[in-house]
Amino acid sequence: SAVISQKPSRDICQRGTSLTIQCQVDSQVTMMFWYRQQPGQSLTLIATANQGSEATYESGFVIDKFPISRPNLTFSTLTVSNMSPEDSSIYLCRAGGSYNEQFFGPGTRLTVL
Amino acid sequence: AQSVAQPEDQVNVAEGNPLTVKCTYSVSGNPYLFWYVQYPNRGLQFLLKYITGDNLVKGSYGFEAEFNKSQTSFHLKKPSALVSDSALYFCAVRDMNYGGSQGNLIFGKGTKLSVKP
């Protein structure tokens, strides 16, 4: 099984600033996924990140707001830009080689004041 | 449209009693179904999955789920609940819009399980 870590685990940020969340996997994976879980809500896919290519964003999410990097097969970052209180959520990364192996990071709890 | 429904926002069970957390799905083709658990201030932990084979799937922490194709359901069950089972449970299904063996999961809205001593 893969072990996924995220940094930071939580942060409190001011409106208008940006935060970069890191996701590290202990094994090489082709696809990494970034989700948002707003308070009391289910998980919503933000984007899919493949190594060596541009991230693919879901409807309602754009690269300028959520730029993603995927420099290698074990690491990805998600930046939440120009934050507003509506961005307060838990952000989770997910990685896995196939549907038989689906693992989530512990999440980053973001509060925007 | 693909979807996952968890009709109960909250399920309350006494410790030692059996528990059921309901999930129904709507997808085309053969579904890949998953259950995850989220403890407070934690990420999602994989419990079990159905890909193919036996309709009764056994997973972590004594949980099991039964795939029922005719009822398009995948209810999570445990014969004897523990207080430590109290958490948020998510049902998910493979997003059929993604090809291949990897891709997105569509999640239900979650069911809060509360087990009282």
Side-chain angles (χ1 to χ4, degrees):
Chain A
S1 63
V3 176
I4 303 175
S5 60
Q6 283 185 237
K7 291 182 181 178
S9 58
R10 59 177 61 229
D11 207 341
I12 300 173
C13 301
Q14 296 297 320
R15 180 195 298 262
T17 62
S18 298
L19 176 71
T20 295
I21 302 168
Q22 300 178 9
C23 180
Q24 179 76 52
V25 188
D26 70 345
S27 57
Q28 293 184 343
V29 293
T30 304
M31 298 179 74
M32 296 179 74
F33 304 84
W34 286 98
Y35 289 84
R36 181 175 72 182
Q37 184 182 16
Q38 293 179 301
Q41 302 293 317
S42 186
L43 281 76
T44 302
L45 181 66
I46 298 171
T48 304
N50 287 343
Q51 193 270 334
S53 63
E54 294 288 330
T56 302
Y57 289 82
E58 296 299 302
S59 176
F61 298 96
V62 294
I63 188 171
D64 289 346
K65 176 66 175 178
F66 297 101
I68 287 172
S69 78
R70 184 75 202 276
N72 57 52
L73 290 173
T74 64
F75 187 78
S76 179
T77 67
L78 169 75
T79 299
V80 186
S81 303
N82 188 25
M83 288 184 285
S84 66
E86 292 72 31
D87 294 319
S88 298
S89 295
I90 299 174
Y91 292 86
L92 299 110
C93 70
R94 174 181 144 243
S98 71
Y99 283 107
N100 286 315
E101 302 169 348
Q102 299 295 334
F103 304 101
F104 281 84
T108 296
R109 184 178 295 271
L110 171 62
T111 302
V112 183
L113 303 178
Chain B
Q2 302 174 99
S3 64
V4 176
Q6 294 181 243
E8 303 152 318
D9 290 335
Q10 180 155 345
V11 170
N12 298 313
V13 178
E15 187 174 32
N17 284 359
L19 69 87
T20 299
V21 182
K22 296 180 180 178
C23 172
T24 59
Y25 64 90
S26 175
V27 297
S28 58
N30 296 321
Y32 289 9
L33 296 157
F34 304 82
W35 275 101
Y36 287 86
V37 59
Q38 185 178 37
Y39 296 100
N41 301 315
R42 303 278 293 276
L44 269 70
Q45 296 181 31
F46 171 79
L47 274 180
L48 52 79
K49 66 179 185 290
Y50 172 82
I51 304 293
T52 186
D54 290 341
N55 290 342
L56 184 63
V57 179
K58 294 187 182 297
S60 306
Y61 313 122
F63 284 93
E64 58 187 28
E66 185 168 12
F67 170 61
N68 188 317
K69 188 173 184 178
S70 63
Q71 298 184 4
T72 61
S73 67
F74 189 58
H75 301 331
L76 181 70
K77 300 181 180 182
K78 187 173 183 180
S80 179
L82 300 173
V83 173
S84 57
D85 292 330
S86 298
L88 189 58
Y89 290 81
F90 288 97
C91 181
V93 66
R94 176 181 70 162
D95 185 342
M96 304 298 283
N97 291 325
Y98 279 74
S101 62
Q102 306 171 32
N104 184 33
L105 297 176
I106 298 171
F107 287 85
K109 62 179 176 61
T111 299
K112 183 179 180 181
L113 174 65
S114 178
V115 182
K116 300 295 185 183

